[in-house]
Amino acid sequence: QVQVVESGGGLVQTGGSLRLSCAASGSIFSINTMAWYRQAPGKQRELVASISKGGNTNYADSVKGRFTISRDNTKGTLYLQMSSLQPEDTGIYYCEADWTYYGDNIEVGRDWGQGTQVTVSS
């Protein structure tokens, strides 16, 4: 029903910037809350930032003031602008989307992308 694809990851030096994008496509649906998660080697997946349909945002303390999450509700696209990157930001970044499908029956669900690698060298 829904495909979620991330892009924009790469290798940057400490202090650099990077912009991630997430595109959702498929059958007719409405995107609710969207979020970015990340998983570093040997660690569990953690929430980086989230944004509601109305635009309310939440950030992990470790990224406040450095990362900015935004979205385009019409296209179902999510963005994450990252600056002042640190080695601790290294990991696979995943896009998560909560959605409502308006088919023959109304269905509510959650989908994840395959992830995009972000590596910050020291």
Side-chain angles (χ1 to χ4, degrees):
Q1 289 182 299
V2 179
Q3 297 289 329
V4 182
V5 181
E6 304 97 335
S7 62
L11 173 64
V12 298
Q13 296 184 23
T14 298
S17 299
L18 208 58
R19 184 171 186 261
L20 305 182
S21 299
C22 170
S25 63
S27 301
I28 297 177
F29 60 89
S30 176
I31 303 295
N32 303 319
T33 298
M34 300 186 76
W36 286 100
Y37 287 76
R38 69 186 179 189
Q39 186 168 26
K43 300 184 66 177
Q44 65 181 25
R45 187 176 300 184
E46 65 176 347
L47 176 67
V48 176
S50 66
I51 182 169
S52 70
K53 186 177 182 179
N56 293 326
T57 59
N58 287 289
Y59 296 92
D61 289 339
S62 60
V63 306
K64 287 182 178 178
R66 300 188 300 117
F67 290 11
T68 300
I69 188 172
S70 61
R71 63 187 291 172
D72 183 327
N73 289 335
T74 301
K75 299 189 297 183
T77 304
L78 180 71
Y79 304 96
L80 184 67
Q81 179 64 51
M82 305 182 292
S83 62
S84 301
L85 285 163
Q86 307 167 15
E88 297 79 60
D89 296 316
T90 293
I92 302 176
Y93 283 68
Y94 298 91
C95 175
E96 184 269 334
D98 297 328
W99 50 264
T100 302
Y101 173 59
Y102 298 95
D104 293 337
N105 298 297
I106 298 177
E107 184 178 353
V108 179
R110 174 177 295 172
D111 268 302
W112 297 81
Q114 292 296 309
T116 184
Q117 176 70 227
V118 172
T119 303
V120 184
S121 63
S122 59

Short mmCIF file of all heavy atoms in Angstrom, two decimals, residues 10-11 17 19 21-22 30 33-34 41-42 60-62 64-66 73 75 82 84 87 90 96 109-110 117:
data_model
loop_
_atom_site.label_atom_id
_atom_site.label_comp_id
_atom_site.label_asym_id
_atom_site.label_seq_id
_atom_site.Cartn_x
_atom_site.Cartn_y
_atom_site.Cartn_z
N GLY A 10 25.22 10.24 3.57
CA GLY A 10 26.55 10.29 3.01
C GLY A 10 27.62 10.42 4.07
O GLY A 10 27.35 10.24 5.26
N LEU A 11 28.84 10.72 3.63
CA LEU A 11 29.99 10.88 4.51
C LEU A 11 30.35 12.35 4.62
O LEU A 11 30.55 13.01 3.60
CB LEU A 11 31.18 10.08 3.98
CG LEU A 11 32.51 10.25 4.69
CD1 LEU A 11 32.41 9.75 6.12
CD2 LEU A 11 33.61 9.52 3.94
N SER A 17 27.36 19.63 7.33
CA SER A 17 25.90 19.61 7.25
C SER A 17 25.42 18.58 6.23
O SER A 17 26.15 18.21 5.31
CB SER A 17 25.36 20.99 6.86
OG SER A 17 25.71 21.98 7.81
N ARG A 19 21.39 17.08 4.47
CA ARG A 19 19.94 17.18 4.42
C ARG A 19 19.34 15.86 3.93
O ARG A 19 19.64 15.41 2.83
CB ARG A 19 19.50 18.31 3.50
CG ARG A 19 17.99 18.57 3.45
CD ARG A 19 17.69 19.84 2.67
NE ARG A 19 16.29 20.23 2.70
CZ ARG A 19 15.42 19.99 1.72
NH1 ARG A 19 15.81 19.34 0.63
NH2 ARG A 19 14.17 20.39 1.83
N SER A 21 15.99 13.39 3.01
CA SER A 21 14.64 13.48 2.48
C SER A 21 13.97 12.12 2.56
O SER A 21 14.64 11.08 2.49
CB SER A 21 14.64 13.95 1.03
OG SER A 21 15.20 15.24 0.91
N CYS A 22 12.66 12.12 2.70
CA CYS A 22 11.88 10.89 2.77
C CYS A 22 10.62 11.09 1.94
O CYS A 22 9.86 12.03 2.18
CB CYS A 22 11.52 10.56 4.22
SG CYS A 22 10.32 9.22 4.41
N SER A 30 -3.57 9.32 3.88
CA SER A 30 -3.28 10.57 4.56
C SER A 30 -2.18 10.32 5.58
O SER A 30 -2.27 9.39 6.37
CB SER A 30 -4.53 11.10 5.25
OG SER A 30 -4.25 12.27 5.99
N THR A 33 1.46 11.62 11.84
CA THR A 33 2.76 11.96 12.38
C THR A 33 3.88 11.29 11.58
O THR A 33 3.75 10.14 11.18
CB THR A 33 2.87 11.55 13.86
OG1 THR A 33 1.89 12.26 14.62
CG2 THR A 33 4.25 11.87 14.42
N MET A 34 4.98 12.01 11.36
CA MET A 34 6.16 11.47 10.70
C MET A 34 7.37 11.71 11.60
O MET A 34 7.38 12.65 12.39
CB MET A 34 6.40 12.12 9.34
CG MET A 34 5.25 11.93 8.36
SD MET A 34 5.62 12.58 6.70
CE MET A 34 6.71 11.28 6.08
N PRO A 41 25.83 1.62 15.29
CA PRO A 41 26.31 0.24 15.46
C PRO A 41 26.33 -0.17 16.93
O PRO A 41 26.87 0.55 17.77
CB PRO A 41 27.72 0.28 14.87
CG PRO A 41 27.66 1.39 13.86
CD PRO A 41 26.77 2.42 14.50
N GLY A 42 25.73 -1.30 17.24
CA GLY A 42 25.72 -1.81 18.60
C GLY A 42 24.74 -1.13 19.53
O GLY A 42 24.73 -1.44 20.73
N ALA A 60 15.08 15.10 20.05
CA ALA A 60 15.91 14.52 21.09
C ALA A 60 16.82 15.61 21.63
O ALA A 60 17.26 16.49 20.87
CB ALA A 60 16.73 13.36 20.53
N ASP A 61 17.13 15.58 22.92
CA ASP A 61 17.97 16.61 23.52
C ASP A 61 19.32 16.72 22.82
O ASP A 61 19.89 17.81 22.71
CB ASP A 61 18.19 16.32 25.00
CG ASP A 61 16.95 16.54 25.84
OD1 ASP A 61 16.05 17.27 25.38
OD2 ASP A 61 16.88 15.98 26.94
N SER A 62 19.84 15.62 22.33
CA SER A 62 21.16 15.60 21.72
C SER A 62 21.24 16.34 20.39
O SER A 62 22.34 16.67 19.93
CB SER A 62 21.64 14.16 21.52
OG SER A 62 20.75 13.44 20.67
N LYS A 64 18.89 19.06 19.57
CA LYS A 64 18.22 20.37 19.65
C LYS A 64 19.19 21.49 19.28
O LYS A 64 20.32 21.54 19.75
CB LYS A 64 17.67 20.60 21.06
CG LYS A 64 16.44 19.78 21.40
CD LYS A 64 15.93 20.10 22.79
CE LYS A 64 14.68 19.31 23.11
NZ LYS A 64 14.19 19.57 24.49
N GLY A 65 18.72 22.39 18.43
CA GLY A 65 19.55 23.50 17.99
C GLY A 65 20.43 23.19 16.81
O GLY A 65 21.02 24.10 16.22
N ARG A 66 20.55 21.91 16.46
CA ARG A 66 21.39 21.50 15.34
C ARG A 66 20.59 20.90 14.19
O ARG A 66 20.96 21.07 13.02
CB ARG A 66 22.44 20.48 15.80
CG ARG A 66 23.37 21.00 16.89
CD ARG A 66 24.51 20.02 17.16
NE ARG A 66 24.02 18.71 17.61
CZ ARG A 66 24.20 17.57 16.95
NH1 ARG A 66 24.86 17.57 15.79
NH2 ARG A 66 23.75 16.42 17.44
N ASN A 73 3.04 18.39 3.44
CA ASN A 73 1.85 17.54 3.60
C ASN A 73 1.23 17.14 2.26
O ASN A 73 0.65 16.05 2.15
CB ASN A 73 0.81 18.26 4.46
CG ASN A 73 1.21 18.35 5.92
OD1 ASN A 73 1.99 17.53 6.41
ND2 ASN A 73 0.65 19.33 6.62
N LYS A 75 2.76 16.48 -0.63
CA LYS A 75 3.54 15.43 -1.27
C LYS A 75 3.87 14.26 -0.35
O LYS A 75 4.39 13.24 -0.80
CB LYS A 75 4.84 16.01 -1.83
CG LYS A 75 4.64 17.08 -2.89
CD LYS A 75 5.95 17.46 -3.56
CE LYS A 75 6.92 18.07 -2.57
NZ LYS A 75 8.17 18.52 -3.25
N MET A 82 20.42 18.74 8.95
CA MET A 82 21.37 18.49 10.02
C MET A 82 22.59 19.38 9.85
O MET A 82 23.16 19.46 8.76
CB MET A 82 21.80 17.02 10.03
CG MET A 82 20.64 16.03 10.10
SD MET A 82 21.21 14.31 10.17
CE MET A 82 21.89 14.13 8.51
N SER A 84 26.26 21.12 12.14
CA SER A 84 27.20 20.90 13.24
C SER A 84 27.26 19.42 13.61
O SER A 84 27.22 19.05 14.78
CB SER A 84 26.79 21.73 14.46
OG SER A 84 26.77 23.11 14.16
N PRO A 87 30.57 12.99 15.40
CA PRO A 87 30.72 11.55 15.19
C PRO A 87 29.60 10.75 15.85
O PRO A 87 29.22 9.69 15.35
CB PRO A 87 32.08 11.23 15.84
CG PRO A 87 32.85 12.50 15.68
CD PRO A 87 31.83 13.59 15.90
N THR A 90 26.57 9.54 13.79
CA THR A 90 26.74 8.46 12.82
C THR A 90 25.73 7.34 13.06
O THR A 90 25.48 6.94 14.19
CB THR A 90 28.16 7.88 12.89
OG1 THR A 90 29.10 8.87 12.45
CG2 THR A 90 28.30 6.65 12.00
N GLU A 96 9.91 7.23 9.41
CA GLU A 96 8.72 6.54 9.88
C GLU A 96 7.50 7.40 9.61
O GLU A 96 7.53 8.61 9.81
CB GLU A 96 8.84 6.24 11.38
CG GLU A 96 7.69 5.45 11.98
CD GLU A 96 6.58 6.35 12.51
OE1 GLU A 96 6.88 7.50 12.89
OE2 GLU A 96 5.43 5.89 12.56
N GLY A 109 -2.18 2.60 9.80
CA GLY A 109 -0.97 1.82 9.95
C GLY A 109 0.29 2.66 10.10
O GLY A 109 0.23 3.89 10.17
N ARG A 110 1.43 1.98 10.15
CA ARG A 110 2.73 2.62 10.30
C ARG A 110 3.74 1.92 9.39
O ARG A 110 3.77 0.69 9.33
CB ARG A 110 3.18 2.55 11.76
CG ARG A 110 4.58 3.06 12.04
CD ARG A 110 4.88 3.00 13.52
NE ARG A 110 4.02 3.91 14.26
CZ ARG A 110 3.95 3.97 15.60
NH1 ARG A 110 4.68 3.15 16.33
NH2 ARG A 110 3.15 4.84 16.19
N GLN A 117 22.41 5.74 5.22
CA GLN A 117 23.59 5.81 6.09
C GLN A 117 24.14 7.22 6.20
O GLN A 117 24.35 7.90 5.18
CB GLN A 117 24.68 4.87 5.57
CG GLN A 117 25.99 4.92 6.36
CD GLN A 117 25.87 4.34 7.74
OE1 GLN A 117 26.32 4.93 8.74
NE2 GLN A 117 25.27 3.17 7.84
#
